[in-house]
């Protein structure tokens, strides 16, 4: 039985702008408005406006909220100050990654966990189960928020024209309550593009009003509406992992090169600790596959699932691949055997429909903005 995709509060507006829509994690979302390359380049050089209302917001609050989160997640949430945010993972008992998350501390005993759209229900269920022994409430707030992001070098100026919030004092991975164009919002300096930018959590009833105000404020500096397609190429260039591609339940954070998010030093037990301690030891002593960047010497584009080869043997697998508008070449992220993971390793290729196309192994990220 098919279920109709969910619509964001901005659905009619996207259609009025001529967006190409696509089903993404059960939501009807804008893939692109015109040229995804132009949208990508606008975010790199000017600014882009994104609807991210498909993301899953979960509130965890109460006297033992932080204890519940420290038990449920691999990060040390007790060290997150009010108004700050932390990137972390929620793992299975065997150490496999259920999702990567951002946790915002909104108050002394209130936190907002933002999960990927495809995993929101899984994360909600896991948090509710893991918090059962603590004096805390886990609440599904997906219907309470629309999420609009403005990303790119012009984004601070665009937002500053609409708010009196202290944007200059707002650090990366921090958030503060304020009003933007008269709309109450949680203003967070976070994003998934590799550029400076902001994510604005607002009530769905204010989403259209806020989007239109941001679009008008950005008219003179090249702001464009931007879809999920360019968001993917932007995060790929920035070397940011995507759940279901670089992160899965069959990988631990250590397999993904993200062992730094696991905090063994925090007090008490947490779900997956024993398995992750073993994974950390393996990563230090054995030679597992490593996540690397690949840059094409030719023009053929690699896709997720394509084999990485060397000397006629399969040495890895592409997890994400696309043409890079910034580099002007196809690029990919891939897990490859450790002996082929060093930047500059020669003789590496990608099997694209039977042809071994040559690729250069490079360190991630492919692109890093100038501060």
């Amino acid at each position: 039985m098919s279920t109709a995709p969910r619509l964001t509060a901005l659905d009619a507006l996207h259609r009025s702008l001529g967006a190409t829509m696509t089903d993404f994690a059960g939501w009807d979302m804008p893939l692109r408005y015109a040229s995804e390359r132009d949208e990508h380049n606008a975010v790199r050089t000017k600014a882009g406006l994104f609807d991210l209302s498909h993301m899953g917001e979960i509130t965890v609050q109460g006297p033992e909220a932080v204890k519940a989160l420290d038990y449920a997640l691999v990060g040390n949430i007790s060290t997150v100050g009010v108004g700050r945010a932390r990137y972390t993972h929620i793992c299975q008992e065997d150490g496999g990654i259920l999702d990567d998350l951002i946790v915002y501390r909104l108050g002394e005993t209130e936190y907002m966990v933002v999960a990927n759209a495809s995993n929101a229900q899984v994360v909600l269920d896991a948090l509710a189960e893991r918090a059962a022994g603590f004096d805390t409430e886990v609440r599904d707030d997906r219907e309470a928020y629309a999420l609009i992001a403005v990303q790119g070098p012009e984004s601070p100026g665009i937002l500053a024209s609409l708010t009196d919030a202290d944007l200059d004092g707002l650090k990366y991975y921090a958030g503060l309550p304020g009003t933007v164009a008269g709309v109450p919002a949680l203003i967070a300096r976070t994003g998934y593009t590799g550029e400076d930018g902001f994510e604005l959590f607002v009530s769905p009833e204010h989403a259209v009003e806020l989007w239109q105000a941001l679009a008008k404020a950005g008219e003179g500096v090249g702001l464009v509406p931007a879809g999920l397609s360019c968001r993917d190429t932007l995060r790929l260039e920035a070397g940011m992992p995507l759940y279901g591609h670089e992160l899965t339940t069959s990988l631990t954070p250590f397999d993904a090169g993200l062992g730094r998010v696991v905090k063994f030093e925090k007090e008490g037990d947490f779900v997956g600790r024993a398995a992750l301690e073993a994974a950390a030891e393996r990563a230090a002593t054995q030679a597992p596959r490593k996540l690397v960047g690949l840059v094409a010497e030719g023009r053929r584009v690699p896709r997720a699932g394509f084999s990485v080869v060397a000397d006629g043997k399969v040495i890895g697998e592409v997890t994400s691949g696309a043409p890079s508008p910034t580099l002007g070449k196809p690029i990919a992220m891939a897990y490859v055997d450790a002996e082929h993971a060093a930047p500059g390793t020669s003789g590496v290729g990608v099997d694209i429909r039977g042809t071994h196309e040559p690729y250069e192994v490079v360190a991630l990220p492919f692109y890093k903005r100038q501060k």
Side-chain angles (χ1 to χ4, degrees):
M1 197 170 88
S2 64
T3 307
R6 297 172 71 179
L7 307 181
T8 79
L10 293 161
D11 182 75
L13 189 148
H14 298 316
R15 294 172 194 279
S16 75
L17 292 172
T20 299
M21 306 296 286
T22 188
D23 185 341
F24 183 83
W27 290 82
D28 217 10
M29 298 297 294
L31 186 65
R32 71 181 72 82
Y33 296 85
S35 156
E36 54 203 49
R37 176 180 292 270
D38 289 349
E39 291 170 25
H40 178 112
N41 290 334
V43 176
R44 284 277 177 259
T45 60
K46 295 166 186 171
L49 192 55
F50 296 85
D51 179 8
L52 306 179
S53 302
H54 60 312
M55 301 295 282
E57 296 87 4
I58 302 161
T59 298
V60 181
Q61 66 181 109
E64 293 189 315
V66 71
K67 287 185 178 180
L69 288 169
D70 270 343
Y71 172 70
L73 311 178
V74 303
N76 192 352
I77 307 306
S78 61
T79 61
V80 180
V82 174
R84 298 307 302 265
R86 177 75 46 85
Y87 174 82
T88 189
H89 292 172
I90 182 168
C91 291
Q92 300 178 144
E93 197 66 67
D94 67 1
I97 304 166
L98 276 174
D99 201 13
D100 62 336
L101 314 164
I102 296 180
V103 179
Y104 297 88
R105 187 175 181 185
L106 303 182
E108 283 301 320
T109 59
E110 184 180 3
Y111 297 80
M112 181 170 67
V113 177
V114 180
N116 285 296
S118 57
N119 294 329
Q121 190 63 48
V122 169
V123 173
L124 177 66
D125 292 344
L127 285 176
E129 182 184 333
R130 296 174 189 190
F134 298 90
D135 184 5
T136 188
E137 174 198 2
V138 175
R139 187 173 71 238
D140 181 359
D141 271 346
R142 283 176 286 179
E143 299 291 342
Y145 291 104
L147 178 55
I148 296 173
V150 55
Q151 299 276 303
E154 297 287 352
S155 59
I158 293 168
L159 196 56
S161 72
L162 297 173
T163 183
D164 58 5
D166 180 17
L167 300 184
D168 289 339
L170 188 64
K171 295 176 179 170
Y172 187 50
Y173 266 70
L176 83 171
T179 57
V180 181
V183 170
L186 172 66
I187 304 166
R189 201 164 208 151
T190 45
Y192 195 50
T193 63
E195 298 298 335
D196 192 11
F198 303 87
E199 295 183 323
L200 308 172
F201 296 85
V202 300
S203 172
E205 69 204 58
H206 297 310
V208 170
E209 177 188 350
L210 179 59
W211 176 287
Q212 290 174 335
L214 288 162
K216 191 169 190 335
E219 274 177 359
V221 292
L223 174 83
V224 302
L228 292 183
S229 185
C230 85
R231 189 167 182 254
D232 189 51
T233 52
L234 289 159
R235 71 91 195 167
L236 177 56
E237 288 184 350
M240 294 176 168
L242 174 64
Y243 195 87
H245 291 254
E246 289 72 42
L247 309 175
T248 69
T249 52
S250 63
L251 296 168
T252 73
F254 294 94
D255 297 324
L258 291 168
R260 65 183 180 276
V261 307
V262 182
K263 303 301 183 185
F264 294 120
E265 71 275 13
K266 66 178 173 176
E267 284 186 25
D269 194 16
F270 62 90
V271 177
R273 179 191 271 273
L276 289 167
E277 284 173 342
E281 199 171 316
R282 280 197 309 274
T285 57
Q286 297 177 5
R289 284 187 168 177
K290 292 187 176 179
L291 187 64
V292 301
L294 299 173
V295 178
E297 293 181 19
R299 308 303 304 172
R300 298 186 75 188
V301 179
R303 298 298 183 190
F306 285 13
S307 294
V308 183
V309 294
D311 302 320
K313 296 178 185 173
V314 174
I315 59 152
E317 185 176 298
V318 171
T319 53
S320 297
S324 164
T326 305
L327 275 65
K329 299 176 180 178
I331 60 172
M333 285 199 275
Y335 283 105
V336 302
D337 295 345
E339 59 266 31
H340 296 279
T345 300
S346 60
V348 172
V350 175
D351 186 337
I352 302 182
R353 297 180 182 84
T355 303
H356 292 182
E357 298 286 339
Y359 274 74
E360 179 189 358
V361 179
V362 300
L364 293 169
F366 301 98
Y367 165 86
K368 203 165 191 175
R369 72 182 173 96
Q370 301 300 308
K371 300 289 185 189

